Amino acid sequence: MKRNYLLLLLSLLSVSSFAQLTVQSGATFFIQSGATVTVQGDVTSNADIQGSGALLMKGSALQTINLNGFSVQNLQIDNAANISLGGAATVGTSLAFTTGKVSLNGFDLSIGSAASITGADNTKFVVTNSTGRLVKNALSTTPFTYPVGFDGSSYNPTSITQNGTSDDIGVRCLQNALTTGATGAAFVKEVVDASWSITEAVAGGSNLSITSTWNAGDK
């Protein structure tokens, strides 16, 4: 017999806290508008986290969030010990930084076509420390800033405008400028000591305007 678990239905403006949060496959987890679910431990979800309320990562130690490719509408980061991505994830409406960084590891973090990132700066950003990319879905003529850095101390945001065909555009910041682009030996002089790997979901059709920023110590 198939069993579905209704884990939580939050009332308007209610606030709940969890040490760990696990959403089983086939379950419905709904955060109602105006509500906030605060998690102090890890989050694992095998289903979309539904509703327009917020999921707040607010631990005192490193937290892992693994959405296994599923989505959450509003994700808030408020953890000075930082967040680690344990699986691909999509943010549908808003990714908001208060304190801390998100390390992607080997997983993509996708931002919905109408979604925004707020609060990011040189102390709060997305760390592309491995093969994971920060992806903006359906990037178009509205400029979008990718608040990325190759490690926790280097902030190298890049702003991209799509002047061609709308596409899912992904960005990784790399620690060095390499002789063959994404691989090879690092250039050691007369370059910015950082680079950006930019990818598209559908080959061809892109015409990108790109403005990148680097730390003074990266040149």
Side-chain angles (χ1 to χ4, degrees):
M1 179 177 67
K2 183 177 179 181
R3 300 179 63 188
N4 290 335
Y5 298 89
L6 179 63
L7 295 188
L8 182 65
L9 178 62
L10 288 178
S11 299
L12 182 66
L13 299 180
S14 66
V15 179
S16 294
S17 296
F18 295 88
Q20 307 282 334
L21 175 61
T22 300
V23 181
Q24 304 287 352
S25 178
T28 298
F29 191 101
F30 189 95
I31 308 175
Q32 191 164 336
S33 176
T36 299
V37 172
T38 301
V39 182
Q40 298 171 332
D42 296 336
V43 172
T44 302
S45 183
N46 290 286
D48 290 332
I49 296 177
Q50 302 177 30
S52 59
L55 177 66
L56 171 61
M57 305 293 288
K58 192 175 177 62
S60 56
L62 179 68
Q63 293 176 272
T64 296
I65 180 169
N66 181 3
L67 296 188
N68 288 296
F70 291 99
S71 65
V72 60
Q73 289 304 303
N74 294 291
L75 180 62
Q76 299 177 0
I77 307 300
D78 189 6
N79 182 352
N82 303 320
I83 307 299
S84 178
L85 204 64
T90 296
V91 175
T93 302
S94 173
L95 172 62
F97 287 90
T98 299
T99 304
K101 307 174 183 73
V102 179
S103 294
L104 299 188
N105 304 309
F107 308 103
D108 287 350
L109 176 60
S110 298
I111 307 300
S113 59
S116 62
I117 299 178
T118 60
D121 59 25
N122 62 349
T123 64
K124 303 164 289 183
F125 56 90
V126 176
V127 180
T128 59
N129 56 323
S130 183
T131 56
R133 304 169 302 157
L134 180 61
V135 180
K136 175 61 172 176
N137 292 339
L139 181 68
S140 61
T141 55
T142 300
F144 182 79
T145 296
Y146 295 74
V148 295
F150 59 78
D151 64 18
S153 59
S154 297
Y155 183 48
N156 304 105
T158 187
S159 176
I160 302 179
T161 303
Q162 174 66 274
N163 301 303
T165 304
S166 176
D167 202 348
D168 299 344
I169 303 298
V171 170
R172 283 195 303 134
C173 184
L174 309 177
Q175 183 169 4
N176 305 113
L178 305 176
T179 54
T180 59
T183 60
F187 289 103
V188 295
K189 62 180 180 179
E190 298 178 348
V191 295
V192 174
D193 200 20
S195 57
W196 295 262
S197 172
I198 299 174
T199 58
E200 56 187 352
V202 179
S206 287
N207 178 10
L208 304 179
S209 298
I210 303 169
T211 302
S212 296
T213 305
W214 55 88
N215 295 324
D218 289 334
K219 45 178 192 174

